[in-house]
Amino acid sequence: MNEQKFTGKAELYEKFRPSYPDELIDFLYENACCEAVADIGAGTGKFTRCLLKKPWQVTAVEPNADMRGKLAEIGGITVVDALAEDTGLADNSVGLVTAAQAFHWFDRKKFSAECKRILCDGGKLAVVWNDFVKEGLAARQSELCEKYSIELQIKKAAGDDSYKRESDELLRGKYFKSVEVAEYTGERVFDRESFIGETLSRSHAPRKGQQHYEPFVNELNNLFSEYESGGRAAVKTNTVCYLGSF
């Protein structure tokens, strides 16, 4: 079940996953006029914390107990143990739903129905992703992830591409009645620890004690050494937000 994908990875996720641009939060605040926000699939609260920069009433929905433990450390929010497709939130109770780095785990049809139920009139859904531009170090990192993930290997061999990110075409078109897209480019600078930690925080990455963990970490170390200068290596980033109405 998808809600168990990150069990045992909350510490890595919280420590090594990036935050989100302030400009994105400004964009949401200006274009989704509301008082209450529900952050669905909130994980450890990387995006939830960003929402608290605005005077919103924030509810974080997360079904994974390990990740939800980190959410509980954030003050000023309501934490709910529930699925994206069945949040348990009241009808017409929020003006904005957010799904940051999580939408690809959801049942799209059921999630849209749930959004329509909990959103008030004029409410919107924001689907957000932080991505690395797949070149240089980031491209080689992705190749290593596919090499050492049994899950990705099985799906790729079976012709199942469900592990790939939902298409830009879907979110710009069929999923919403209308949508605004905002993009923010940047750069992330890694040291060795953060590069390896970010990679290991991914759902499909081998866990410590599993068969492929040690060779995976060894190759990540070697890869970082190829690209680092002065103990640092930079990758280009692209954050995309699809703010849509149903």
Side-chain angles (χ1 to χ4, degrees):
M1 295 168 63
N2 287 338
E3 57 266 29
Q4 300 304 321
K5 291 284 188 180
F6 288 95
T7 297
K9 298 210 170 194
E11 290 290 342
L12 287 169
Y13 200 104
E14 179 58 25
K15 185 174 181 180
F16 296 114
R17 288 294 183 102
S19 186
Y20 296 82
D22 288 341
E23 296 86 349
L24 167 57
I25 307 304
D26 291 340
F27 167 76
L28 293 178
Y29 190 67
E30 293 167 4
N31 290 279
C33 300
C34 63
E35 296 182 355
V37 180
D39 190 25
I40 310 297
T44 64
K46 304 297 287 192
F47 196 71
T48 313
R49 290 179 177 87
C50 295
L51 294 172
L52 290 174
K53 295 175 182 178
K54 302 298 183 182
W56 281 317
Q57 299 169 16
V58 179
T59 298
V61 178
E62 173 55 50
N64 183 277
D66 193 25
M67 305 289 266
R68 203 169 54 251
K70 293 295 181 183
L71 275 174
E73 297 173 4
I74 304 174
I77 66 170
T78 299
V79 178
V80 175
D81 174 8
L83 300 174
E85 303 86 354
D86 185 15
T87 64
L89 302 182
D91 292 356
N92 312 118
S93 59
V94 297
L96 175 66
V97 170
T98 61
Q101 222 70 10
F103 180 74
H104 53 298
W105 298 118
F106 305 161
D107 180 298
R108 296 196 305 258
K109 185 176 181 180
K110 292 180 179 179
F111 180 59
S112 66
E114 182 68 352
C115 287
K116 292 171 188 176
R117 185 185 69 79
I118 66 175
L119 283 170
C120 59
D121 290 344
K124 297 181 179 181
L125 164 65
V127 177
V128 180
W129 278 306
N130 267 336
D131 269 332
F132 296 138
V133 177
K134 297 300 188 293
E135 61 184 27
L137 176 60
R140 296 278 301 282
Q141 179 190 34
S142 293
E143 290 171 2
L144 279 182
C145 286
E146 288 200 13
K147 177 180 177 180
Y148 282 99
S149 170
I150 295 175
E151 176 186 352
L152 295 186
Q153 290 170 10
I154 292 172
K155 288 186 174 183
K156 190 172 183 179
D160 180 357
D161 65 354
S162 63
Y163 67 93
K164 296 180 180 178
R165 183 136 298 162
E166 297 294 344
S167 70
D168 179 76
E169 180 182 0
L170 170 70
L171 290 167
R172 286 182 186 268
K174 296 181 293 183
Y175 200 70
F176 296 115
K177 281 186 178 179
S178 63
V179 64
E180 296 177 80
V181 181
E183 297 190 50
Y184 307 90
T185 58
E187 181 181 79
R188 183 171 183 192
V189 179
F190 287 104
D191 60 15
R192 189 177 300 274
E193 180 190 16
S194 60
F195 175 71
I196 293 173
E198 190 281 333
T199 313
L200 291 175
S201 76
R202 302 181 183 192
S203 64
H204 49 69
R207 289 165 168 79
K208 192 170 185 178
Q210 291 184 328
Q211 179 182 0
H212 299 295
Y213 179 83
E214 294 298 337
F216 183 53
V217 171
N218 287 339
E219 287 212 45
L220 287 173
N221 262 305
N222 294 336
L223 176 60
F224 186 81
S225 294
E226 287 185 41
Y227 285 87
E228 64 89 14
S229 176
R232 299 288 187 270
V235 298
K236 295 178 182 178
T237 61
N238 188 47
T239 302
V240 184
C241 174
Y242 303 84
L243 181 63
S245 301
F246 293 101

